[in-house]
């Protein structure tokens, strides 16, 4: 095999990897902001890429499983898009914070209202979700994407095995339940109040140090003044004594 054939084969393989990787990642997905813990609450982003070169995305529908119903699903406003939340009556009511919930969100639909997702672009649609199920490690959120040329892509295929389907449904992975049941991301950074308290203490410490320096300086100045005063008195007494002695010598 000559070098030109080797180069051609390598180039073809590289191009295949790029094309396949682009295809694998160019689908609707869902990603939590921080942690999505079982039994807690979470904020997630539904990421919608535009896969077409000659059309724009004008509608997205995300469906929520009713076998693990969510009592609260709130979309964050997205400029240029109108969000509609659809609820469905439950066969078995949920108990949430001591109250019975008879219906749950089954679908959220975003429709373009002055905006679109154009070719080569993507859009994120934030959602607040809760209370997340305690008996599941993931939620499958099937999505339907509509283009302005009336093409509809159904991201509803669940993965079975190691091979990813052609149109995989977005999957929200849930982490084990922790102490924080609001699903917030764990952090080791001090809270705002703790930081403010620390800053305040640091500030007082700095001022205290400055005051101590000023006190020490004032004390030193006062001591020096006293020493000079004593020296002045002694010099004065010495002068008086010298004058008395001189007078006696003249009298003699």
């Amino acid at each position: 095999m000559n070098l030109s054939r080797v180069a051609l084969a390598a180039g073809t393989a590289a191009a295949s990897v790029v094309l396949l990787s682009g295809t694998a990642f160019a689908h609707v997905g869902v990603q939590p902001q921080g942690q999505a813990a079982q039994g807690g609450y979470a904020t997630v982003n539904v990421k919608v890429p535009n896969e077409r070169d000659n059309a724009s995305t004008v509608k997205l529908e995300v469906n929520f499983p009713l076998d693990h119903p969510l009592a609260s699903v709130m979309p964050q406003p997205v400029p240029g898009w109108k969000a509609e939340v659809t609820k469905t009556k439950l066969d078995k009511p949920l108990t949430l914070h001591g109250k019975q919930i008879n219906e749950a969100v089954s679908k959220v639909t975003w429709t373009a209202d002055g905006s679109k997702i154009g070719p080569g672009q993507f859009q994120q649609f934030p959602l607040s979700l809760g209370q997340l199920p305690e008996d599941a490690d993931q939620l499958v959120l099937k999505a339907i994407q509509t283009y302005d040329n009336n093409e509809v892509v159904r991201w509803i295929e669940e993965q079975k095995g190691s091979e990813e389907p052609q149109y995989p449904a977005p999957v929200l992975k849930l982490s084990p339940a922790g102490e924080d049941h609001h699903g917030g991301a764990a952090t080791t950074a001090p809270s705002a109040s703790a930081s403010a308290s620390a800053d305040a203490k640091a500030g007082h410490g700095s001022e205290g140090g400055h005051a101590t320096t000023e006190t020490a300086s004032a004390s030193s100045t006062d001591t020096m003044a006293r020493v000079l005063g004593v020296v002045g008195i002694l010099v004065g007494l010495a002068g008086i004594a010298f004058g008395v002695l001189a007078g006696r010598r003249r009298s003699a």
Side-chain angles (χ1 to χ4, degrees), residues 17-30 47-51 122 155 164-166 168:
V17 169
V18 171
L19 290 174
L20 290 174
S21 63
T23 302
F25 287 101
H27 56 69
V28 176
V30 59
K47 185 177 180 181
V48 184
N50 191 86
E51 293 190 309
F122 76 94
W155 303 97
E164 185 180 64
Q166 185 176 1

Side-chain angles (χ1 to χ4, degrees), residues 39-130:
Y41 292 77
T43 299
V44 304
N45 283 325
V46 180
K47 185 177 180 181
V48 184
N50 191 86
E51 293 190 309
R52 302 295 178 261
D53 296 329
N54 57 353
S56 298
T57 298
V58 293
K59 186 178 178 181
L60 175 72
E61 177 184 307
V62 175
N63 295 274
F64 295 86
L66 291 180
D67 57 341
H68 291 100
L70 301 176
S72 175
V73 176
M74 295 186 294
Q76 180 177 316
V78 176
W81 293 83
K82 182 176 67 176
E84 180 183 358
V85 178
T86 302
K87 293 185 177 182
T88 299
K89 199 158 198 172
L90 297 174
D91 295 332
K92 182 180 178 182
L94 285 174
T95 301
L96 184 64
H97 302 307
K99 295 182 180 180
Q100 277 201 336
I101 308 297
N102 296 315
E103 58 182 12
V105 174
S106 57
K107 178 172 63 175
V108 176
T109 305
W110 289 270
T111 305
D113 186 22
S115 182
K116 296 180 180 182
I117 307 174
Q121 299 177 342
F122 76 94
Q123 176 67 54
Q124 294 194 112
F125 297 94
L127 287 170
S128 174
L129 307 179

Side-chain angles (χ1 to χ4, degrees), residues 188-214:
T188 56
S191 64
S193 58
S195 298
S197 176
D199 290 343
K201 289 180 180 179
H204 287 315
S206 177
E207 291 174 3
H210 184 59
T212 302
T213 302
E214 289 182 349

Side-chain angles (χ1 to χ4, degrees), residues 7 33 38 43 45 79 85 134 141 149 157-158 172 179 184-185 187 194 205 212-213 215 222-223 237 241:
Q33 296 181 17
Q38 295 170 330
T43 299
N45 283 325
V85 178
E134 297 179 350
L141 310 180
N149 61 357
E157 298 176 8
E158 298 187 42
L172 175 63
E179 294 181 0
T187 174
T212 302
T213 302
T215 302
D222 185 58
T223 301
L237 291 175

